[in-house]
Amino acid sequence: MSETPVNRADPQTPHQDLHSEQGALRGEHPGRARNPVIKVADLAWLEFEKPDLDRAEVFARDFGFGIVARTEGELWLRGTFAGSPCMVIRKGRTSRFIGPTFRAAERADLDRLARATGTDVRDLDAPGGGKAVGLLDPSGLPVRVVHCAEQLPALPEQQPLILNFGTEHRRTNATQRPPREPSRIQRLGHVVLETRVFARTLDWYLDTLGMIVSDFLFLDGQRGRGPTMAFIRCDQGGLAVDHHTLALHLGPGTGYVHSAYQVTDLDAIAAGGEYLGERGYRRSWGIGRHIQGSQVFDYWRDPDHFMLEHFADGDLFSCDLEPGWAPMSASGLAQWGPPVTRDFLGTNPSPAKLREVMAALRDDNELDPARLLGLMKAMSS
């Protein structure tokens, strides 16, 4: 996680220099818990199962991951920054997302979390070892919180290009020739999850893991029913951290939407994208710049159809900033870039998608016909 000390000599008042057009109305969700069980420090890694680890490794190298360990049954991936791995892929019969793993700030946090949730602290099955607590969020998704015994050392970086700006000439008598190579991953930035029980799941991450909301999105004409998407960051006090480490949104599905990995700069994104395209991978959406989080983005599909994002230049917030509130819309996803694709939005019609929607409407959850119509309208606006 990127961390920047914040000068606390000039404390911000609520909604001073607000990062969205409006703040909360009276009685709306505060975006944080008063007394969380613990406060996780960051997202550690994501866990997947896939039937073909050889194919997964080829894509991982093309996308820009480093390899921590490879066995017949596991593939551990990393970025260049020191710390924990980014991802583990275990061999399984089908391709599926298992769940996210968060990093505890202190070893004692695991004991506190285990007592509060009635679980056990167990040995960690990861390179370097450590301890872990396993939980289920209200969507039924496995969530682990870990404290690693050892940290991975840093690897050589992909250096940012030296840029000229107006009359500021930092580069003379030299050309720009970014190499056509993978965008070297620095670290895991965030994961986006879909849930049918948005309010309960949101409160669980705030109450149990001590995360706080950066931005809420709501449906047009339905703000009184509460938000339908939240961009959530870790609470590191005065240290400014990623605008979102986790994003949740209401929908007919449950689980993984995409994950995002930081690279050096825009040229690394663009050159790495050219490299991926030449090798036959499919871009889902990009290149552009988001509104919530402000990062430059580029989305790709791996051979198992999972969506992964290269990003750079994201917002960093300390605990002082209150949540922003904004209407949800497809056009509100980016400041600039190509039009958002149906693939990215997940709105391509298919029998599987229709079965998912019908099952969600029949179940006891937060997705009713009014919410579904509101989401459909937002994704076409």
Side-chain angles (χ1 to χ4, degrees):
M1 173 181 295
S2 293
E3 300 177 349
T4 303
V6 174
N7 184 351
R8 304 180 68 91
D10 298 313
Q12 291 196 345
T13 59
H15 310 307
Q16 177 182 338
D17 297 326
L18 193 66
H19 49 281
S20 75
E21 294 181 359
Q22 52 191 308
L25 303 177
R26 179 171 297 187
E28 288 187 317
H29 200 298
R32 61 188 70 197
R34 290 187 176 182
N35 188 28
V37 177
I38 65 169
K39 293 183 178 182
V40 293
D42 201 357
L43 190 60
W45 60 78
L46 305 178
E47 301 193 17
F48 293 84
E49 282 186 359
K50 296 185 179 184
D52 190 338
L53 293 189
D54 290 335
R55 185 175 69 174
E57 182 176 349
V58 170
F59 173 79
R61 292 183 185 277
D62 288 343
F63 196 73
F65 289 106
I67 308 299
V68 179
R70 170 70 197 272
T71 67
E72 186 175 332
E74 289 186 344
L75 173 63
W76 287 86
L77 307 177
R78 63 163 297 172
T80 58
F81 284 2
S84 63
C86 293
M87 184 187 298
V88 56
I89 305 172
R90 295 189 171 90
K91 191 174 182 63
R93 292 186 176 181
T94 61
S95 294
R96 66 189 186 106
F97 175 63
I98 304 299
T101 297
F102 292 87
R103 178 169 60 85
E106 303 289 344
R107 168 63 180 83
D109 286 343
L110 297 185
D111 298 320
R112 186 179 305 112
L113 183 62
R115 288 194 301 268
T117 58
T119 53
D120 299 320
V121 179
R122 300 179 180 272
D123 290 335
L124 178 60
D125 54 340
K131 298 292 182 179
V133 171
L135 307 168
L136 286 177
D137 76 8
S139 298
L141 192 69
V143 176
R144 290 207 298 175
V145 181
V146 302
H147 187 267
C148 298
E150 298 179 10
Q151 298 292 304
L152 298 173
L155 296 178
E157 289 291 328
Q158 194 171 26
Q159 294 301 312
L161 297 186
I162 298 174
L163 303 180
N164 290 329
F165 298 99
T167 59
E168 182 183 345
H169 300 153
R170 300 173 57 207
R171 188 187 79 256
T172 59
N173 297 327
T175 59
Q176 293 283 40
R177 301 292 186 269
R180 191 72 59 88
E181 64 182 8
S183 306
R184 202 172 305 170
I185 301 298
Q186 295 176 325
R187 63 185 180 93
L188 167 62
H190 64 259
V191 63
V192 180
L193 303 175
E194 183 175 357
T195 174
R196 300 175 182 178
V197 286
F198 172 81
R200 285 166 45 201
T201 304
L202 169 66
D203 287 343
W204 185 86
Y205 281 98
L206 306 191
D207 295 337
T208 308
L209 304 187
M211 306 182 82
I212 56 179
V213 176
S214 299
D215 278 290
F216 284 119
L217 300 184
F218 57 88
L219 296 178
D220 183 37
Q222 298 187 35
R223 182 167 180 171
R225 297 190 62 184
T228 51
M229 186 164 188
F231 296 87
I232 310 164
R233 68 190 185 275
C234 296
D235 183 358
Q236 294 258 27
L239 286 177
V241 301
D242 289 336
H243 171 272
H244 56 284
T245 299
L246 169 68
L248 297 172
H249 73 78
L250 177 66
T254 297
Y256 181 89
V257 178
H258 76 258
S259 52
Y261 304 86
Q262 181 177 291
V263 300
T264 300
D265 57 13
L266 174 58
D267 278 281
I269 290 176
E274 293 294 314
Y275 183 90
L276 287 169
E278 288 172 351
R279 278 151 184 77
Y281 300 109
R282 182 165 62 88
R283 175 179 271 124
S284 179
W285 182 37
I287 299 172
R289 185 180 284 276
H290 278 307
I291 294 179
Q292 278 78 25
S294 301
Q295 66 267 35
V296 178
F297 63 82
D298 194 20
Y299 293 92
W300 293 82
R301 293 282 184 182
D302 76 1
D304 296 277
H305 204 62
F306 290 109
M307 190 190 301
L308 293 86
E309 174 190 1
H310 284 142
F311 80 92
D313 190 34
D315 291 336
L316 302 174
F317 287 1
S318 70
C319 69
D320 303 287
L321 269 70
E322 299 290 331
W325 287 71
M328 177 182 282
S329 69
S331 60
L333 291 172
Q335 301 178 49
W336 56 261
V340 64
T341 63
R342 295 176 67 89
D343 179 71
F344 175 82
L345 295 174
T347 55
N348 285 323
S350 68
K353 176 63 70 175
L354 292 175
R355 288 194 297 268
E356 189 176 65
V357 170
M358 296 304 297
L361 291 174
R362 287 194 298 265
D363 288 347
D364 181 18
N365 55 56
E366 298 171 29
L367 191 73
D368 55 32
R371 283 301 221 194
L372 178 60
L373 289 173
L375 287 169
M376 293 172 62
K377 180 182 176 182
M379 293 302 97
S380 61
S381 63

